[in-house]
Structures are given as structure tokens and as C-alpha cells.
Amino acid sequence: MTPQVYEILLVEDDPADAELTVHALRKERLANHIEVARDGAEALDFLFCRGAYSNRSFTNPPRVVLLDLKLPKISGHEVLRAMKEDERTRAIPVVVLTSSNQERDLVECYQLGVNSYIQKPVDLQKFQEVVRHFGMYWLVVNHLPPLAAYSGK
Amino acid sequence: MNKALRFRRKLAWTWAGVALVLLAVFYLAVRGGGESIALEGWVAHTQEVLGVIGDARLERARLVNRWLTNQLARNGAGTGGSDADSDKLREDVARLHTLTADNPAQQRLIAEVQGVFGKELTSLDGASSQSSAGGTTRSANSVPWAKTAETTARLLALFDHLEANERELLASRSRAVQANARVTRIVVVFAGLLTFLILGTAGYFIQREILNRGRIETGLRKAQELLGVKYEDQRQELGHAMDDLHGHIRARQQAEGEIRLLNTELEDRVEKRTKELQEANHELEAFSYSVSHDLRAPLRHMDGFSRILQQEYGTQLPQEARHYLDRVRSATTHMSNLVEDLLQFSRLGRQSPQLCRVALRNLVEEAQAETLSAPGNRDIEWRISDLPEVEVDTNLFRQVWVNLLSNAIKFSKNQSKAVIEIGSREEEGETILFIRDNGAGFDPRFADKLFGVFQRLHRQDEFEGTGIGLATVQRIIKKHGGRVWAESQPGQGATFYFTVPTAVPRCKTHETIGARA
């Protein structure tokens, strides 16, 4: 049995936001397999193949991680830091998708090595447009490194 | 000083006078003494001469006496010139001659005596030789007695003459001695009197000087005493003044101490307040973060799901349901705008402007581009005059223009042709900028409400808005040290003015309390 390939890991604690994002992605037919993590701890378990995700492998990374910043338990900043500090997860592109446009957050995220920072537009039409843009970019246009880049060796 | 010098000179003259007088007296006394000794020598000499004359008289008498005795004994042999008495007489006469060598009158008399006596002796010798050759002849009887007596008388007269001369000499010399002694006495007395006079005068002057000095000394002592009293008085006064001064200094030190204490308290209080303010500011920041993140999420959901309803199920909904959906969506948009503006406004409080020189024209053009990109902005006539360069925070000032331009566009939307004018003028060290529109304007009675947060002068159904835009403009202008005001009449457009100080230091950061650490 071939392992499930996840195109996107969506880290979002708000079910409404998660639903709207998934709706937009589905509408643009960009992703079939979207994993949604409800907090930072769950996201780290998935990314580092532990706990409920211990049967996962580092060699089967998501093509892109959509990360909210304000999360219960472990914040988006901490998730980002953990990912970028570990060689096995460093190559995974991370797009911060947040309602915050605080300068401090922007600076911190880029210093931690974020690949993209998108502020969620209030307007749904704009949001759908934004989702289409970044989905097209990260899932179609962008080239990912070979799997060896995720081995950590 | 001058007086003392004069006195000293006077004293010197006095001493010189005394010394001169004493010297003269001394000289005169010595000379008088010398003269006395000489005169007394002469007196003794005269007396010696008189003695010799006496001797010669006695010799003559004895010689005549012997001659008479021999004559009586008819012995003429013994009358010869070799007789001892006649020799003696001859010697005496010779001595007289020597003694009176200084006196020609006496010499003449003595020469006469010698002549007379010599002739007598010669005649006597001749008589004796005749008698010895003739034997006992009567020739011896030929000695002329008469002649001898005559000679003797002559000699005696001569001796008397001599003696009288000498005695006269002696008298005159004695008189001279006496005169000399008298003169000496007078000189001594006179000199003594003069000395006394000079010494007396000198003594008088010295006495007077001493008295003067004493008086001066007394005066000086009195003056010193007076001065001493005054000095003591002044010392006491000074002491009082010093005490007062020390008092003042103590009081001042105390006051300073109190001020220091108060300052310290004030500093403590300021520090405490600053800390409180910082805490409040952090809370506010946390609050605004929270608003930005949490408040906007439900808005987005409302908007998102209502839009999905419209898009995917719109055709299935009745007309009224679609209308209500529209109301939900516009309310959502308005609240989203409110939140956005409020966030921007609160963020302004924490930012400190970064001043840099910039051409206002560029900022206006950027703001134009931003506002005109919004939908529904129609044909507008722009009248933009030359704008100066100013030193401002570029981002904040762009925001000012965006707000003012969008206001001008918004409130002139009902005009068939909107005219927006932008210009500037220099006035008393500041640049006044203005933006004028031909829009709705406002009632100047409410002009003071124009720049308050959430204050609106128009109904929402006339001109939509959050009431934060002009408050933001005012806040930015004030942060740059400028003023902002507006002039208008309803229906006649509005003009907004604001100032920028011309002499703003280059790229200086204006500190604000809320500046992020």
C-alpha cells in the first residue's frame, strides 16, 4: 500500500477559517489531500512523524505548510522555529497565512526563515483569489528538491 | 615726612655751627697761648738785658773803685787793660750787644758804650807804658781824673739810657701780654656765650620737636584707639553679617535638601508613572493585536460564508433573502474598515516619525495613485501647484495625503465635475499646505468636531466613513509639530490646511512615550 500523499498541511485552530480555506482550495481544484492540524502540537506531531502520526515518514513531506500564527498550546512561531531548526523539515516550504498584519510578526517570521507571509483578506473574493495564487505557485509552479533533502543526512 | 627731613637738616646745620664756633675758639685759644708764651719769653729777655746792664754798672763801679785805690797807692801798674774787672765789663757789654741784636737803637747805644769805654782803656794803657819807660816819673800822675769821671758819667748816662729803653720795652711787652690775655678772655667768654646760645636754640628746637612728636604720638595713639574701637565695631558687625550669612546658607542648604528630596520623590513618581504608562501601553498593544487578529476573524467568516451563500445558492434564494444577505455583507465590510482604521490610528501612537527630506509632490502623486485605484472614482480635475521639499516621515505623510485626498474625492462625489486643488505657501517659518475640494463641505459650527475619533459631520447614508481618517491626519501632523484646521461652508466645498515647520532637523527621530523598546 502506497503511503497517502498530502499536498497541503493546513495548521488552523479556527474551524470556520479552516473550512473557508479548504473550500477555496477545493473550488480551485488545487488539492485533493489536505491535512488539517488544529493546534501547534498536532502540527509538530504530523511533521515529525510521532504520536498519532508515528506511522508517517519524513520522506513523505507535504508540498507546502499553511501556518496560522495564533494557535493553542504551541504557537505558529514555535512550529516554524522547530521546522527550520531541523534538517528533516527545513526544506518544506512554509506559508504563513494569518489575519495578523503586525510588523513584529512579519519580522519574526522572516527571521525564522518563513518562505511566504500572507495576510488573510477579509473579503472572500479576495481570499479566494489569494488562495488560487499561492496554490498555483507552491503546488504547480514551484519546484521542490529531491526527497533526499528531507532525509536529514 | 617733609617736616622730619627739614628738622633733620636744621639739626645738622646747628651741629655744624656749634662745631665751627668751638673750632674757632680752640684756634683762638691755641694762638693766644702761643702769643703769651712768646711775649713772656720777650719779657724774660728784657729782664735778662736789664740784669746784664746792672752787672755792667756794678763792674764799672768796681773798676773805678780799684782805679782810685791804685791811684792812692801810686801804683800805676795796676791800671792796665788786662784787669779782670775791665774784661768782665767788656764781656758784659759784648753780651749786651748780642742780646739786643734785634734792637738797632740799643745797638747804637751799646756801640757808643764800647767806643767810650774802649777809648778810656786805650788812654789808660798809654799812660802806664810811659811811666814804665821813664821810670818813676810823674807820668803816672798824668791819669786824668777829670777825664775818668767824665767817662764814668757818660757811661752811666748811657747805661741809664739803655735801661730806660729796656724798661719801656718791658712795659710795652707786659701791656701786650695783658692785652692778649684780655682778648683771649673775651673770645672765650664770647665763644661760651655763642655756644650756649646755639645749644639753647638747638635745645629749644629739639624740645619743640619732641613736644611735637609727643603730640603727634598722642594723636596717633588716640587715632589708633579710635580705629581699634571702630575695627572692633566693624568686626562685630562683620561677625553678625557672617552669622546671618551662615544662617542663610543653612536655610538654603536645607531648602536644597528638601528640593533634592522632592526631586527624588518626583523622579520616583515619574519613574513609577512611566512604568505604569509603559505597562498600559503594552496592554494596549496586546489589545490591538487581539483586535487585529481575533476581531477580524469572525468578520471574515461572516463575509466568507455569506458570499458562498450568494455565489453558490443565490439563485435558489428569494429576493428578500438575497437583500438581507447584502445587508449582512455591507455591515461586515463597514466593521472591517472600522477595525482597520482603528488599528492604524492606535499604531500611530507608538510610532516615532523618521524625518527625511522629501519632495511633497512625489508623496501627493503616490497618494493620488492609491486613492484613484479604488473603484468608483470618476473624472476629477486636479490643480496642483508647486510644492516645496519638506522634512517629514514619508510613510506617515503619504497616509496624510491618502486620507485627505480620499476625503476630497468622497465628499465631491455628487458634483458633476470634482475639482481638487493642492497648494502651499510660506508663512513665519512654517509651510502651510492646503487641499481644497468643491464637494459637500460642512457646517463650520462643527469644525472642532472634525478631527475627533469617530466624529462624523455627515450621515452614513450620505457619505460612508469611519470617522477616524481626519483624527489620524491630525495625529500625524501633531507628531511633526504642525497644526491642522479646516474652513468650509455647507455646499461650497472644504479647504483643509496643515503646517509643517520649515526648519526641521534632518532625519531626527521624535521620541514618543509609546516607542517600542
Side-chain angles (χ1 to χ4, degrees), chain A residues 11-110:
Chain A
V11 188
E12 175 62 71
D13 65 316
D14 190 324
D17 265 337
E19 202 182 328
L20 281 171
T21 309
V22 170
H23 179 269
L25 285 168
R26 292 260 158 80
K27 196 166 187 265
E28 301 294 332
R29 303 180 196 283
L30 283 167
N32 293 317
H33 302 287
I34 302 169
E35 181 67 24
V36 178
R38 301 290 179 183
D39 57 54
E42 210 178 303
L44 288 179
D45 279 353
F46 179 89
L47 288 165
F48 287 91
C49 314
R50 62 199 185 196
Y53 302 95
S54 53
N55 59 341
R56 278 198 68 249
S57 160
F58 282 100
T59 53
N60 185 24
R63 291 180 66 85
V64 66
V65 176
L66 296 179
L67 184 65
D68 192 10
L69 288 180
K70 202 174 174 244
L71 296 168
K73 294 180 190 172
I74 296 171
S75 76
H77 303 97
E78 290 307 309
V79 173
L80 180 61
R81 189 194 308 278
M83 284 181 72
K84 294 301 177 186
E85 277 178 359
D86 198 300
E87 289 178 354
R88 296 166 299 182
T89 52
R90 189 180 293 158
I92 304 170
V94 179
V95 175
V96 164
L97 190 64
T98 179
S99 50
S100 163
N101 61 350
Q102 299 276 310
E103 210 175 275
R104 192 180 56 187
D105 284 337
L106 264 163
V107 171
E108 199 181 339
C109 286
Y110 274 102

Side-chain angles (χ1 to χ4, degrees), chain B residues 64-311:
Chain B
V64 170
N65 195 31
R66 206 155 31 85
W67 274 346
L68 282 173
T69 312
N70 285 344
Q71 198 72 31
L72 287 171
R74 306 279 182 171
N75 184 11
T79 56
S82 58
D83 190 274
D85 286 332
S86 61
D87 286 347
K88 194 94 182 323
L89 184 59
R90 217 177 273 133
E91 259 174 53
D92 280 341
V93 173
R95 200 168 148 217
L96 272 177
H97 184 78
T98 313
L99 280 173
T100 58
D102 60 317
N103 195 332
Q106 295 290 72
Q107 290 269 306
R108 260 195 318 276
L109 285 173
I110 287 162
E112 202 175 327
V113 168
Q114 279 173 333
V116 172
F117 188 54
K119 212 183 285 173
E120 185 186 51
L121 286 180
T122 308
S123 67
L124 278 176
D125 286 343
S128 70
S129 64
Q130 267 177 5
S131 70
S132 58
T136 55
T137 54
R138 284 276 312 215
S139 60
N141 291 343
S142 63
V143 172
W145 285 101
K147 198 150 176 117
T148 301
E150 192 186 332
T151 306
T152 300
R154 181 82 193 276
L155 278 175
L156 280 177
L158 279 174
F159 282 141
D160 282 345
H161 201 166
L162 268 174
E163 207 176 87
N165 274 351
E166 281 302 319
R167 281 198 189 285
E168 201 180 320
L169 209 60
L170 180 65
S172 88
R173 279 179 178 164
S174 291
R175 268 199 311 279
V177 167
Q178 277 171 1
N180 191 24
R182 210 164 38 241
V183 167
T184 303
R185 206 162 44 240
I186 287 167
V187 165
V188 167
V189 166
F190 178 74
L193 283 174
L194 198 62
T195 308
F196 270 120
L197 188 69
I198 291 170
L199 283 176
T201 311
Y204 168 74
F205 279 123
I206 289 169
Q207 186 69 21
R208 207 177 63 169
E209 190 63 24
I210 286 168
L211 281 174
N212 267 346
R213 291 197 175 193
R215 256 202 312 280
I216 289 166
E217 214 168 283
T218 312
L220 273 174
R221 207 166 25 245
K222 272 184 188 165
Q224 268 178 347
E225 276 166 16
L226 209 65
L227 272 176
V229 170
K230 271 193 180 169
Y231 169 75
E232 190 58 33
D233 282 355
Q234 281 178 349
R235 212 181 61 82
Q236 279 180 3
E237 244 169 70
L238 199 64
H240 290 318
M242 287 294 277
D243 285 348
D244 280 357
L245 198 63
H246 281 310
H248 280 305
I249 288 170
R250 265 197 302 280
R252 179 166 287 197
Q253 277 171 345
Q254 208 172 337
E256 273 173 9
E258 278 168 25
I259 286 170
R260 245 197 312 279
L261 201 70
L262 283 174
N263 270 346
T264 315
E265 272 177 30
L266 198 64
E267 274 168 26
D268 287 349
R269 216 179 298 166
V270 166
E271 206 175 315
K272 201 177 151 199
R273 283 287 153 78
T274 309
K275 215 169 179 178
E276 281 172 6
L277 265 173
Q278 279 171 342
E279 276 169 19
N281 222 59
H282 283 139
E283 273 172 33
L284 200 68
E285 219 172 306
F287 170 76
S288 66
Y289 185 87
S290 183
V291 166
S292 122
H293 194 272
D294 295 349
L295 218 59
R296 284 208 296 191
L299 281 174
R300 226 177 31 252
H301 302 156
M302 280 152 68
D303 183 67
F305 289 117
S306 58
R307 192 181 281 261
I308 290 170
L309 262 181
Q310 277 180 327
Q311 283 176 352

